[in-house]
Amino acid sequence: MREHLRPLIAYHLFFTLLASSLLLPAVAWSLTRLLGQFGQPILTNSELLDLLLSPGGVLWLLAAIGTTFLVLYLQQAGMILVAVRPRDNHYRLAFEALWATLRRLPSLSGLVVLQVGSHLLLFVPTVIVLVWLYGVFLGGLDPYYVQKVRPPAFWQFVAIGLPVVGLWIGLAATLYFRWLLALPVMMLENLSPRAALKRSHLLTQGRRRHIALAVLALLVVIIALPVLATTLFGRAFTPMLWWLPERNAVLIPAMLGYLTAYVLLTLAITFVGIAANALLAACLYLRLEHRELRPAAPPADAHPGRLAWAVEVSVILFALFQAWLIVNSFELRDEVAIIAHRGSSMAAPENTLSAMLLALDEKADLIEIDVRLTRDDQVVLYHDRSMSRLTGDPRQLGELSREQLTEFDVGSWFGDAYVGEPIPGLDEALESVRGRGQLMIDLKPDPGRELALVDAVMDTLRREAEAREVCQEDGGTVATCGNRDVIDETLLATMSPSLVREIKAREPAVATTLLAQLILPGTLERRGFDALGLRHNRITDNEIRLARRLDYEIHAWTVNDRARMSQLIDLGVDAIITDRPAALAELLAIRREMSDGALLLVKLRNWLRG
């Protein structure tokens, strides 16, 4: 790498420019268009699994995996050509390697189909066995119950499934190391994909244990390098920013310099990881085929020339520009709404009146509750379909009447202070927050009863509106009886876009949140809802930009870590759903008291963590 650094950097830059401007956008557009053909949004893990198990979904997955690996093979192939063909003009060599790689695109595509496809075929029986085992041990249980309680059946599934996965890993690793040199063989010997795989098998035969050690050792270095480098960088330079005077005239230039150095370090680490992997394959090929320890060094009189300096200066300017964009993206003052997840559910049993009242005391702006329909079409607060997790009763909630549900205790599991806590109805929940707070009602319908749940919830809201009107006529005040526009101040949430449309058709004034565990590009029509509730680790700058452009809010769920709360505030979310509303309220209060300089440094720290 030391002897071929400049042409490797040049090729990396040229390929990155080509990939970011042409290859990756074309791949993303093609895959998005293909997803759009399914005509349905993919918002949950179960929907994603259903898609991937369908014939069209398998086609899309193969296309996504294939194109991803093709771009990686193109990048690796060019670096191998650069490393083994020293020339006087480093940048001409980089261009030649790029051109030679693009000319071999059909052969590289064939190699991807054979090499990656074989690993996928090996994976298919593993998936089939795991799906069968899941059905045997966990098929009859509520997935959320399995996730939270981890019953004995879950550990039986894990105990039997792990050896199956281990067997697949062993077979896949054997195949990987057997074909490790197929790419350099194909590029340097001009062989067909099938011939390159056979040649790699012959070259690695009897030496795979040593090759595996070399590859794994390099992998450890590649994984450890960014962690070590960023940790040392943070320890050495980050404290200096806190010592600076909190004046923007000093702080902003210092932050620009800091971020420029950080971006350059990140670019360097990325380049080293990519190049080292390609160079290891090249060196292994030369040693096994030609008994050369490494590629020949470039001539002693080789020099970079003006183009080399221009390209490298452009990297520094790019890093400076990125730093400038980052600093200018920081907004000094920002607020988010506090949404208490199932009430203050870290301090009281979830979806109970106790949790709701505690959340109000802890300054929550809204209280998120889950609602289901009983057998007699009454709306009650409960998350799971089964009663197992909180009460130990295996029956389904939808099979029980509201009167039967009064016999259940959903507080004992949480602690002695809540023994006898009942399952409340939506009517009781609305009465308890009257004049004090607002509700976010998460609809949890049983299959086939979606519209019945919507109608029952809307009827309950209308009755509450009438009760508030009567309260005011009897001499009550807004402070004690609440605003009669309860429908306007309530937020209805669901994971079903079709249900959002039904809600809006019945009551256009009610605000809606579409909840999503993930969003596959091209599958969601981003209009018709007032807020998009995303799992917090799925929220990106692009999601925030889309929300601003299309005029809906972003709600992050479910966040209990203060550091992550702070990151999401700086990312620009409109609301955070949390089990710990008091912690979020305290964090917001602390941020309001900060000076501009201190808040700027906090935002920088959160950006670096993100």
Side-chain angles (χ1 to χ4, degrees):
M1 187 179 295
R2 183 184 70 251
E3 294 168 350
H4 296 78
L5 184 61
R6 285 181 180 275
L8 286 170
I9 291 176
Y11 177 82
H12 180 63
L13 293 175
F14 296 152
F15 183 84
T16 301
L17 181 63
L18 174 67
S20 59
S21 61
L22 182 61
L23 295 179
L24 294 178
V27 168
W29 180 84
S30 302
L31 293 175
T32 300
R33 292 280 294 182
L34 185 59
L35 279 173
Q37 300 304 310
F38 293 103
Q40 65 181 57
I42 308 298
L43 306 179
T44 66
N45 295 329
S46 60
E47 289 173 348
L48 177 61
L49 184 61
D50 290 341
L51 170 67
L52 297 182
L53 293 178
S54 68
V58 171
L59 174 64
W60 177 85
L61 182 62
L62 291 176
I65 294 174
T67 50
T68 300
F69 274 96
L70 180 58
V71 172
L72 293 174
Y73 275 43
L74 284 168
Q75 186 178 49
Q76 298 283 294
M79 287 191 163
I80 290 171
L81 291 179
V82 168
V84 300
R85 294 166 52 197
R87 300 283 180 86
D88 289 345
N89 190 312
H90 298 319
Y91 286 83
R92 187 177 65 193
L93 172 58
F95 275 118
E96 289 176 352
L98 184 61
W99 175 243
T101 301
L102 293 175
R103 286 177 57 194
R104 299 299 307 277
L105 183 60
S107 296
L108 286 168
S109 301
L111 185 62
V112 168
V113 170
L114 291 175
Q115 198 165 0
V116 178
S118 297
H119 282 84
L120 291 176
L121 287 175
L122 192 63
F123 187 55
V124 168
T126 306
V127 172
I128 292 174
V129 171
L130 290 176
V131 170
W132 177 76
L133 288 173
Y134 185 91
V136 169
F137 290 100
L138 304 172
L141 300 177
D142 187 328
Y144 190 79
Y145 168 75
V146 173
Q147 176 188 346
K148 291 295 182 182
V149 177
R150 307 282 173 82
F154 170 80
W155 297 111
Q156 293 169 1
F157 167 74
V158 171
I160 298 177
L162 277 179
V164 176
V165 175
L167 177 62
W168 169 76
I169 291 174
L171 294 174
T174 301
L175 198 60
Y176 174 78
F177 292 120
R178 174 181 293 181
W179 289 345
L180 180 67
L181 301 183
L183 181 59
V185 164
M186 192 182 77
M187 295 303 296
L188 301 177
E189 297 185 12
N190 201 29
L191 297 179
S192 68
R194 183 172 295 182
L197 292 173
K198 291 181 179 178
R199 186 87 175 109
S200 174
H201 172 53
L202 291 173
L203 288 174
T204 58
Q205 200 165 19
R207 303 177 178 91
R208 287 178 198 135
R209 184 175 299 177
H210 300 90
I211 291 173
L213 288 174
V215 171
L216 293 175
L218 180 64
L219 180 63
V220 170
V221 172
I222 291 174
I223 293 173
L225 184 61
V227 176
L228 181 62
T230 53
T231 300
L232 292 175
F233 186 87
R235 294 283 178 86
F237 298 106
T238 304
M240 297 180 185
L241 292 176
W242 293 96
W243 299 337
L244 295 173
E246 292 185 11
R247 294 197 300 272
N248 288 349
V250 176
L251 203 54
I252 291 179
M255 289 179 64
L256 280 173
Y258 177 93
L259 284 170
T260 301
Y262 184 85
V263 172
L264 287 172
L265 177 65
T266 303
L267 292 174
I269 291 172
T270 303
F271 164 74
V272 168
I274 293 171
N277 188 56
L279 296 184
L280 178 63
C283 288
L284 285 170
Y285 168 78
L286 291 174
R287 178 160 189 172
L288 295 174
E289 173 62 17
H290 302 290
R291 304 301 174 186
E292 295 180 25
L293 294 180
R294 62 175 182 232
D301 59 346
H303 55 84
R306 293 179 180 177
L307 180 59
W309 289 110
V311 171
E312 288 159 17
V313 168
S314 69
V315 175
I316 297 174
L317 292 177
F318 170 78
L320 183 60
F321 177 68
Q322 287 289 105
W324 181 81
L325 288 179
I326 293 165
V327 171
N328 280 273
S329 70
F330 295 156
E331 296 180 9
L332 286 181
R333 295 298 160 187
D334 36 31
E335 292 290 336
V336 299
I338 303 172
I339 303 180
H341 184 235
R342 306 178 195 173
S344 185
S345 53
M346 279 283 192
E350 63 184 60
N351 283 317
T352 62
L353 297 182
S354 296
M356 293 175 61
L357 295 174
L358 183 58
L360 291 173
D361 293 338
E362 293 177 347
K363 302 180 181 178
D365 298 299
L366 290 97
I367 301 170
E368 187 267 352
I369 55 174
D370 304 293
V371 298
R372 288 187 173 275
L373 267 186
T374 64
R375 188 183 65 196
D376 51 347
D377 293 330
Q378 299 294 304
V379 186
V380 296
L381 275 59
Y382 202 79
H383 178 274
D384 302 3
R385 184 181 300 177
S386 164
M387 305 297 294
S388 300
R389 180 170 62 92
L390 300 186
T391 69
D393 192 304
R395 286 179 291 178
Q396 307 287 302
L397 182 140
E399 300 172 353
L400 304 170
S401 67
R402 185 167 180 180
E403 183 178 355
Q404 287 176 297
L405 289 176
T406 59
E407 302 171 4
F408 286 90
D409 172 6
V410 291
S412 297
W413 69 272
F414 194 89
D416 293 342
Y418 296 99
V419 171
E421 189 80 34
I423 298 175
L426 178 59
D427 50 355
E428 295 172 297
L430 288 165
E431 184 179 355
S432 69
V433 301
R434 189 181 293 166
R436 297 186 60 193
Q438 299 172 233
L439 294 183
M440 174 181 177
I441 303 174
D442 187 356
L443 305 175
K444 301 291 185 185
D446 291 332
R449 303 186 73 191
E450 293 85 357
L451 297 183
L453 178 59
V454 171
D455 291 335
V457 168
M458 296 307 304
D459 288 344
T460 306
L461 289 176
R462 293 187 184 102
R463 287 196 298 272
E464 173 64 15
E466 293 171 1
R468 294 186 181 189
E469 184 176 5
V470 170
C471 179
Q472 289 183 343
E473 288 177 355
D474 289 345
T477 64
V478 173
T480 56
C481 298
N483 192 312
R484 60 176 291 183
D485 297 327
V486 63
I487 293 177
D488 293 339
E489 67 182 28
T490 301
L491 195 59
L492 295 190
T494 175
M495 281 190 167
S496 169
S498 61
L499 208 54
V500 168
R501 292 191 291 270
E502 292 291 345
I503 293 169
K504 285 293 189 181
R506 284 160 168 73
E507 185 55 67
V510 70
T512 56
T513 295
L514 179 64
L515 299 173
Q517 294 173 329
L518 52 89
I519 300 177
L520 286 191
T523 66
L524 177 64
E525 171 57 46
R526 293 173 180 264
R527 290 181 174 84
F529 48 80
D530 300 287
L532 179 62
L534 276 173
R535 185 187 290 274
H536 70 92
N537 58 353
R538 302 289 182 179
I539 297 176
T540 62
D541 288 325
N542 186 55
E543 287 292 347
I544 299 295
R545 284 193 294 270
L546 277 172
R548 298 294 178 264
R549 190 168 78 239
L550 299 176
D551 194 29
Y552 59 81
E553 293 185 353
I554 291 288
H555 297 176
W557 58 273
T558 300
V559 189
N560 295 321
D561 177 69
R562 282 175 58 118
R564 184 58 180 156
M565 290 175 183
S566 189
Q567 288 175 344
L568 289 165
I569 293 170
D570 292 332
L571 197 57
V573 302
D574 299 285
I576 292 177
I577 302 173
T578 176
D579 298 318
R580 303 174 60 206
L584 179 53
E586 182 183 3
L587 175 63
L588 289 171
I590 292 172
R591 288 171 65 101
R592 290 188 199 105
E593 296 173 0
M594 285 182 174
S595 65
D596 288 352
L599 192 56
L600 199 61
L601 290 173
V602 168
K603 289 177 178 291
L604 173 62
R605 182 189 63 190
N606 287 335
W607 181 87
L608 292 171
R609 286 177 175 173

